[in-house]
């Protein structure tokens, strides 16, 4: 079993990507479970996701990296024992610390072979967000297995280069994928990771 968290700011495209990846993996014959933690608002229609044959659990009353860490662990245990998925994808809130989530997952001891972090960056807003929350974003990037620069369908090459420079400055040698969760462009490296081919 592979567990993956999609880290990234609110609006970076986590839910959109989650549905895409979940659907692709499921079509490739993988059993996929999804844990979504949205505080306050639910960005995903559970019924829509369920229609793709994915198992979905939503945790909506708090943040899984803080007050709800126990709830995350119980959910992981329950999903792995009852559903026995090949892949579990976790969408934390945009303010969760990726490293904390990783620790909680490990401590839940559900026997994953790999725990991956995909850090999603909204290419359209990246430069602005970096000016506002550099430390937080830097931490997310440093802890990621792949940095996915999202929304490439709406930015030009110059912006892509600027975002790439930021990522390389923060964490030299990062693996970067340029994707559009909306159009499905560039997702192969992420699918490969979650299928255990990378
Ligand atoms: N143009 C474009 N819009 C996107 C893309 N991915 C997500 N969005 C839009 O960005 C907004 C936030 O997406 P969402 O998946 O809810 O982000 P989350 O808050 O990180 O879960 C929505 O309006 C999406 O339709 C993308 O690749 N390209
Ligand atoms: Mg979301």
């Amino acid at each position: 079993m592979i567990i993956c968290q999609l880290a990234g700011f609110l609006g970076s495209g986590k839910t959109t990507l989650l549905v895409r990846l979940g659907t692709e993996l499921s079509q490739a014959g993988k059993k996929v479970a999804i844990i979504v933690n949205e505080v306050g608002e639910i960005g995903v229609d559970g019924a829509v996701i369920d229609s793709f044959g994915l198992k979905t659990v939503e945790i909506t009353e708090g943040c899984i990296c803080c007050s709800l860490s126990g709830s995350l662990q119980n959910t992981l245990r329950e999903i792995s024992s009852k559903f026995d998925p090949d892949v579990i994808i976790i969408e934390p809130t945009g303010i969760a610390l990726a490293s904390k989530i990783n620790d909680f997952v490990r401590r839940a001891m559900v026997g994953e072979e790999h725990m991956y972090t995909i850090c999603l960056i909204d290419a359209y807003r990246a430069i602005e967000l970096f000016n506002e929350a550099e430390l937080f974003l830097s931490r997310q990037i440093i802890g990621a297995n792949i940095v996915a620069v999202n929304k490439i369908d709406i930015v030009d090459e110059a912006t892509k280069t600027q975002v790439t420079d930021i990522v390389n400055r923060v964490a030299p040698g990062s693996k970067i994928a340029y994707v559009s969760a909306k159009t499905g462009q560039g997702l192969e490296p992420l699918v490969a990771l979650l299928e255990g081919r990378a």
Side-chain angles (χ1 to χ4, degrees):
M1 179 179 53
I2 288 174
I3 302 183
C4 174
Q5 67 161 310
L6 292 183
F9 246 60
L10 180 70
S12 58
K14 297 183 295 298
T15 303
T16 311
L17 182 64
L18 179 88
V19 173
R20 277 259 173 210
L21 288 175
T23 311
E24 288 210 15
L25 291 166
S26 163
Q27 279 164 356
K30 301 282 181 192
K31 236 165 126 183
V32 185
I34 284 168
I35 301 175
V36 181
N37 178 209
E38 305 261 23
V39 180
E41 37 101 48
I42 299 172
V44 64
D45 186 341
V48 171
I49 290 191
D50 286 342
S51 71
F52 291 111
L54 312 172
K55 168 91 185 154
T56 319
V57 180
E58 287 173 83
I59 303 173
T60 54
E61 295 300 319
C63 176
I64 51 172
C65 104
C66 326
S67 56
L68 286 184
S69 59
S71 165
L72 171 64
Q73 291 177 321
N74 289 338
T75 303
L76 282 170
R77 289 192 195 109
E78 197 167 316
I79 287 180
S80 39
S81 67
K82 290 194 183 145
F83 187 64
D84 190 27
D86 300 304
V87 185
I88 301 179
I89 306 176
I90 304 172
E91 179 188 346
T93 63
I95 51 160
L97 277 177
S99 57
K100 275 174 91 176
I101 305 265
N102 280 340
D103 288 345
F104 290 133
V105 170
R106 247 173 246 125
R107 273 187 252 145
M109 298 207 289
V110 289
E112 76 277 6
E113 297 142 78
H114 296 289
M115 169 76 217
Y116 293 127
T117 302
I118 296 173
C119 173
L120 206 55
I121 295 181
D122 180 342
Y124 191 71
R125 293 185 59 212
I127 293 152
E128 176 199 335
L129 283 178
F130 258 93
N131 290 332
E132 286 165 14
E134 181 169 351
L135 181 63
F136 180 79
L137 288 176
S138 300
R139 278 199 191 142
Q140 303 289 60
I141 291 173
I142 289 165
N145 298 93
I146 292 191
V147 176
V149 176
N150 190 32
K151 308 197 186 181
I152 54 161
D153 56 304
I154 52 166
V155 299
D156 55 19
E157 286 300 319
T159 309
K160 260 162 78 177
T161 307
Q162 273 178 297
V163 177
T164 305
D165 289 345
I166 293 177
V167 174
N168 283 329
R169 178 161 50 81
V170 170
S174 292
K175 197 166 176 189
I176 304 177
Y178 300 91
V179 306
S180 168
K182 193 169 189 174
T183 67
Q185 212 180 328
L187 298 185
E188 166 54 25
L190 308 183
V191 175
L193 187 75
L194 299 188
E195 282 188 344
R197 291 187 280 114

